[in-house]
Amino acid sequence: MPSVQSKLMNLAAEIAVDPEKRRRAGLYALATVTTTLAATFYAGRISAGKVSRSRTSSEESFASTGKKMMRKMIDPLFLKQFRVLLKIMIPSLFSKEVGIIAIHSLILICRTFLTIYVAALEGKMVKCIVQKDLKAFFWQLLKWEAIALPATFVNSMIRFFESHLGLALRSRLTEHAYKEYFSDQTYYQVSNLDSRLLNADQCLTEDITMFSQSVAHLYSHLTKPVLDIALITLTLVSYARRRGSGKSILFPMFLGAAVVSATARILKAVSPRFGSMVAEEANRKGHLRYLHSRIITNSEEIAFYNGHDAENKQLNGAYQKLKEQMSLIYKKRVFYIMMEQFLMKYVWSGAGMTMIALPILTAVNPTTASGRLLEDEPDGGVSERTRGFTMAKNLLVNSADAAERLMTSYKEVVELAGYTSRVYEMFNVFREVKKGLYQRTEPENADGTKIRRRLERFDTSKITGVIKYSDDGSIVLNEVPIVTPNGDTVVRSMSIHLVPGMHCLITGPNGCGKSSLFRILGGLWPVYRGELHMPKKEKMYLIPQRPYMTLGTLRDQVIYPHTAWQMKRRGVKDDDLGAILAKVHLSHIVEREGGWDAKSDWMDVLSGGEKQRMGLARIFYHMPQYALLDECTSAVSIDVEGDIYQAIKDAGITLLTVTHRPSLWKFHTHLLRYDGEGGYEMSEMLGDTEEERLSLNDERTKLEDRLKTINKLLGDDEEYISSNDE
């Protein structure tokens, strides 16, 4: 039975000599072009209809208008964001990344030339089969096996350099992100003063990874198809001209361009908004991971409250939202992939067969590579036509695959736009919080109304405060408001003057923001107004209520945030650290844990009291001018607490303490009291003993309560009198 290829060759020979059949072949080709143009026109009408409907909906709803306009603006916005990130990933033309891209591009070019060579080699093998030339066939087969080794090596190198490029881009982005994240206490401001990045950990890890991998993957999957199409087209044109079909190549080229253009327009018309969908999927993944991390961090508290049902409900709710988003993406892809496969598998195959056949069918006096006419060949040119057909078919198949990769890369580009948006937004937030531009989401009730706040609101949109470093070590606040990140006013305007040796105790009602002053002195909260004079940060050391234990050795816990190398530079030895631990009653820790080089999870190994005393030990190592102590001895016994406080005073360190324990009053000389209503009072501690100070404080508190009662009664009387006068 004759093969399909032989039938096609016989048909080509008949058409070449029969004008009527040649006319019919031209009509069939014209019909194919007409169908392609009709599909293109229909795709344009679909796009126009979408635009028209978007305009109608925009007249009905302002919010819908914003969404449609945002969809139109995504391309220039994506390009702008991508250019900013590209400058970070590739800082200069002489960077390592440019070298990787150059080598990767060279390997892609080699792969394209190998594709062309293999297609030509396969055509020669088919010719040998048709001619039944066994010797020539085995010689071509030997060439085929010989080219396999470099071909497989090139393919492996393409994958290697794609992965290597992705890793290089990720490293560059990660290094820049960490530098921005840990400079100027951005990590604190992003989490506490700004609410735009709810999952900074995901942005710094998974989002950067997905973005860099997507960029490297797209470069490889866009560059290689472009090279394939360009070089294969040049090869086919050159081959057609050598065979005497140079005048008939314009129509197949026009047909191929028309089919590809129509496919692109149709796919663009039916493509969903994958970019926004992927970005929303990443947001929901980040929220689910955040809930898991909260459970791990607070597992003991949740277990004590028996709150597993509530946490399970939150996790299931977050997972269901993620599941719904992923299901939506999968459903949207069904019709798109179906249309994509129909166009690229079947329509393109038909167009490709037409493009292959036309140069063969319309060739005038075709010749072989040696210049002889095909009709003068012993087999009438059948083997040569078969070789040309096979080579052209393989090249066109590779070219079609390249064009298909370009078409399908549209989805990947849209998904890249989603990752680009998230990574760019992360860097934008880092940049803005450094400038003091914060955005916080206002808490709302279930019905969407704003929650009424107990404290007075402060306008946080402008930061006009001035910070200066004092030479004498004094702390001076001149009309500085104490404002929380939410905009709640703790103190409307504070003006105090502290000098070394003024040991100040800070107290007030629960929840009034007693630690707020420490956060301003530590540079965590901005100075919105007034002037702040204070020593440099290295002269102040803050010990929070829940001390932080770092990863590392026991030595690292005492000298944190210094390293062992910095400790040696200061001339401090392990014996000195042992003396420090003796002051906080922790000498037994060294022997119990196995020495200074012992490593462990110190957050779990040390008890609550031991961790607080370890935090206090750091004061004796760093020897600051001021020790800011924020309820840092709540788990320490009163006798040990007193010894530590006295040792701190004896070391010449000034105490600024937030505490509710009356036993610590005797170590302080001044009292700063918040009233919880935006006011404060700074006074000197009276009495020589603890009992006298407590007694005087109780008397003063009673008098203040009576004055408030009298003022309230007088206010009621005035309202009663004014109402009677009316």
Side-chain angles (χ1 to χ4, degrees):
M1 180 178 291
S3 64
V4 176
Q5 292 182 352
S6 63
K7 288 184 177 180
L8 183 60
M9 294 299 104
N10 294 331
L11 179 62
E14 294 177 3
I15 293 176
V17 298
D18 191 342
E20 179 63 23
K21 292 185 177 180
R22 186 181 300 176
R23 186 181 63 83
R24 290 180 182 177
L27 291 176
Y28 290 150
L30 182 62
T32 303
V33 175
T34 305
T35 304
T36 302
L37 294 177
T40 306
F41 176 75
Y42 179 70
R45 291 299 299 261
I46 292 176
S47 300
K50 286 191 174 185
V51 173
S52 176
R53 287 193 295 271
S54 69
R55 289 177 181 173
T56 303
S57 62
S58 68
E59 294 174 358
E60 296 174 355
S61 172
F62 177 78
S64 178
T65 302
K67 292 180 180 179
K68 298 296 181 181
M69 290 180 65
M70 184 61 68
R71 184 177 179 181
K72 293 180 182 179
M73 293 293 291
I74 188 171
D75 287 341
L77 180 62
F78 162 65
L79 294 177
K80 175 186 175 183
Q81 295 174 346
F82 186 76
R83 279 197 300 267
V84 173
L85 298 178
L86 189 62
K87 291 180 181 178
I88 299 174
M89 295 185 293
I90 307 177
S92 67
L93 291 176
F94 301 98
S95 60
K96 178 183 68 174
E97 291 75 16
V98 174
I100 296 174
I101 293 174
I103 298 175
H104 190 31
S105 303
L106 182 61
I107 294 175
L108 292 175
I109 294 174
C110 293
R111 182 66 182 86
T112 301
F113 280 114
L114 281 172
T115 300
I116 297 173
Y117 179 79
V118 168
L121 189 60
E122 186 175 348
K124 293 178 181 179
M125 294 176 67
V126 172
K127 180 180 179 179
C128 295
I129 294 173
V130 173
Q131 292 179 341
K132 296 183 179 181
D133 190 344
L134 186 62
K135 182 178 179 181
F137 172 75
F138 278 108
W139 173 246
Q140 300 299 333
L141 184 61
L142 183 62
K143 291 182 180 180
W144 178 278
E145 296 297 335
I147 201 65
L149 183 61
T152 53
F153 174 76
V154 168
N155 289 333
S156 299
M157 286 295 99
I158 289 176
R159 296 179 181 178
F160 170 77
F161 276 97
E162 179 182 327
S163 303
H164 192 44
L165 178 60
L167 182 61
L169 298 179
R170 177 187 177 185
S171 300
R172 186 75 71 172
L173 276 176
T174 301
E175 290 172 3
H176 181 77
Y178 286 173
K179 180 181 178 181
E180 295 293 319
Y181 190 59
F182 287 103
S183 64
D184 299 329
Q185 297 176 329
T186 302
Y187 57 91
Y188 176 85
Q189 297 168 356
V190 166
S191 303
N192 296 273
L193 304 182
D194 195 280
S195 60
R196 283 175 287 180
L197 287 183
L198 299 180
N199 304 295
D201 56 339
Q202 185 188 17
C203 294
L204 289 166
T205 53
E206 184 174 350
D207 287 349
I208 287 181
T209 301
M210 297 301 295
F211 171 75
S212 56
Q213 289 178 353
S214 181
V215 171
H217 177 76
L218 267 178
Y219 177 77
S220 178
H221 284 245
L222 289 178
T223 304
K224 187 177 185 303
V226 171
L227 291 172
D228 286 348
I229 293 173
L231 296 178
I232 288 174
T233 301
L234 292 176
T235 302
L236 289 174
V237 170
S238 176
Y239 177 78
R241 287 178 176 174
R242 289 199 306 267
R243 294 298 182 269
S245 303
K247 297 181 180 180
S248 61
I249 62 175
L250 295 179
F251 184 78
M253 292 176 64
F254 171 75
L255 175 62
V259 170
V260 172
S261 176
T263 303
R265 295 195 63 180
I266 293 173
L267 292 180
K268 184 177 181 181
V270 301
S271 174
R273 294 183 298 172
F274 287 115
S276 59
M277 293 180 183
V278 171
E280 179 62 25
E281 180 186 3
N283 282 330
R284 297 187 182 187
K285 283 182 179 179
H287 181 64
L288 182 62
R289 181 182 290 115
Y290 168 69
L291 292 179
H292 277 289
S293 65
R294 287 184 72 254
I295 294 175
I296 294 173
T297 304
N298 305 287
S299 58
E300 184 176 350
E301 291 82 354
I302 295 172
F304 276 134
Y305 285 115
N306 200 23
H308 51 272
D309 289 335
E311 301 299 326
N312 186 26
K313 183 178 179 181
Q314 289 187 2
L315 279 178
N316 282 325
Y319 177 75
Q320 288 301 322
K321 290 182 179 179
L322 175 60
K323 177 183 175 182
E324 292 172 2
Q325 184 65 19
M326 296 179 69
S327 299
L328 176 63
I329 295 176
Y330 297 153
K331 291 176 183 177
K332 292 289 186 180
R333 283 177 174 170
V334 171
F335 177 74
Y336 181 82
I337 294 176
M338 182 182 70
M339 181 63 68
E340 180 184 75
Q341 291 297 314
F342 169 74
L343 293 172
M344 296 183 180
K345 187 173 183 179
Y346 296 101
V347 175
W348 285 19
S349 297
M353 291 297 294
T354 305
M355 294 172 63
I356 296 172
L358 282 178
I360 299 176
L361 299 176
T362 59
V364 179
N365 297 324
T367 60
T368 63
S370 60
R372 295 175 56 186
L373 293 174
L374 292 182
E375 286 75 7
D376 297 338
E377 291 290 312
D379 57 358
V382 174
S383 60
E384 183 65 25
R385 286 191 179 94
T386 305
R387 183 184 75 84
F389 175 80
T390 302
M391 187 187 76
K393 186 190 75 169
N394 289 336
L395 290 178
L396 278 177
V397 167
N398 288 314
S399 181
D401 289 340
E404 181 180 359
R405 289 197 297 273
L406 287 178
M407 296 291 109
T408 56
S409 64
Y410 175 74
K411 298 194 303 291
E412 298 175 357
V413 172
V414 175
E415 292 179 358
L416 174 63
Y419 295 125
T420 303
S421 175
R422 286 181 59 83
V423 177
Y424 175 84
E425 177 64 18
M426 176 188 69
F427 284 114
N428 186 54
V429 171
F430 289 172
R431 186 166 51 251
E432 289 189 352
V433 297
K434 290 178 185 295
K435 298 178 181 178
L437 303 176
Y438 308 112
Q439 294 182 21
R440 289 193 62 87
T441 303
E442 294 292 335
E444 297 179 349
N445 294 309
D447 57 359
T449 59
K450 301 294 182 182
I451 295 178
R452 185 177 180 182
R453 297 184 177 276
R454 177 177 59 88
L455 299 176
E456 178 183 343
R457 296 286 295 154
F458 187 89
D459 182 14
T460 58
S461 60
K462 296 181 180 179
I463 301 176
T464 60
V466 178
I467 301 177
K468 297 181 180 179
Y469 294 108
S470 58
D471 297 330
D472 57 356
S474 61
I475 298 176
V476 181
L477 282 79
N478 186 15
E479 298 183 354
V480 175
I482 309 296
V483 182
T484 68
N486 291 327
D488 294 332
T489 302
V490 178
V491 176
R492 298 182 186 91
S493 179
M494 177 176 284
S495 297
I496 61 174
H497 187 184
L498 298 175
V499 297
M502 288 180 60
H503 305 284
C504 184
L505 182 72
I506 303 173
T507 185
N510 289 330
C512 71
K514 295 183 290 295
S515 305
S516 303
L517 177 61
F518 290 172
R519 294 186 175 94
I520 291 180
L521 294 177
L524 303 182
W525 291 3
V527 179
Y528 289 103
R529 194 175 57 221
E531 288 189 5
L532 170 62
H533 298 260
M534 66 177 187
K536 293 184 178 180
K537 290 184 179 180
E538 57 267 19
K539 294 186 177 181
M540 294 186 295
Y541 199 84
L542 172 65
I543 306 296
Q545 182 176 4
R546 189 176 64 178
Y548 172 70
M549 297 290 110
T550 186
L551 297 175
T553 64
L554 180 61
R555 182 186 300 103
D556 295 331
Q557 310 312 309
V558 181
I559 65 177
Y560 184 80
H562 281 185
T563 62
W565 178 76
Q566 290 174 308
M567 183 190 83
K568 292 180 180 179
R569 284 192 61 187
R570 296 183 60 181
V572 180
K573 300 180 180 179
D574 289 343
D575 294 339
D576 300 323
L577 298 183
I580 290 175
L581 291 186
K583 294 180 180 179
V584 295
H585 296 237
L586 284 180
S587 300
H588 61 284
I589 290 290
V590 180
E591 183 178 355
R592 187 188 74 185
E593 300 300 332
W596 290 107
D597 294 320
K599 292 184 178 181
S600 186
D601 187 358
W602 302 107
M603 292 295 293
D604 295 332
V605 170
L606 301 180
S607 65
E610 288 174 341
K611 285 185 286 189
Q612 287 190 339
R613 280 181 280 167
M614 185 66 72
L616 290 167
R618 295 169 182 169
I619 296 177
F620 296 101
Y621 169 79
H622 291 283
M623 292 300 293
Q625 195 170 18
Y626 289 90
L628 284 63
L629 310 178
D630 185 9
E631 295 278 4
C632 63
T633 56
S634 57
V636 180
S637 61
I638 295 178
D639 55 339
V640 174
E641 176 188 59
D643 294 341
I644 296 175
Y645 266 77
Q646 188 60 51
I648 294 175
K649 290 186 67 176
D650 294 341
I653 301 173
T654 302
L655 297 171
L656 299 180
T657 308
V658 173
T659 185
H660 287 288
R661 286 190 174 183
S663 58
L664 295 178
W665 286 32
K666 61 183 178 181
F667 300 104
H668 300 81
T669 60
H670 290 75
L671 177 66
L672 175 61
R673 291 183 66 253
Y674 296 120
D675 60 9
E677 298 178 358
Y680 74 98
E681 180 185 3
M682 182 75 176
S683 61
E684 186 177 357
M685 300 279 280
L686 301 176
D688 296 329
T689 63
E690 177 182 344
E691 291 76 11
E692 291 177 352
R693 291 184 176 183
L694 290 174
S695 176
L696 291 172
N697 183 68
D698 291 339
E699 292 181 7
R700 182 174 60 184
T701 302
K702 292 178 181 179
L703 289 174
E704 289 176 351
D705 292 338
R706 291 177 181 177
L707 287 173
K708 289 181 180 180
T709 304
I710 294 173
N711 290 332
K712 185 176 181 181
L713 291 174
L714 289 175
D716 294 340
D717 292 340
E718 291 174 358
E719 292 178 0
Y720 176 75
I721 294 171
S722 61
S723 62
N724 288 337
D725 291 340
E726 293 176 356

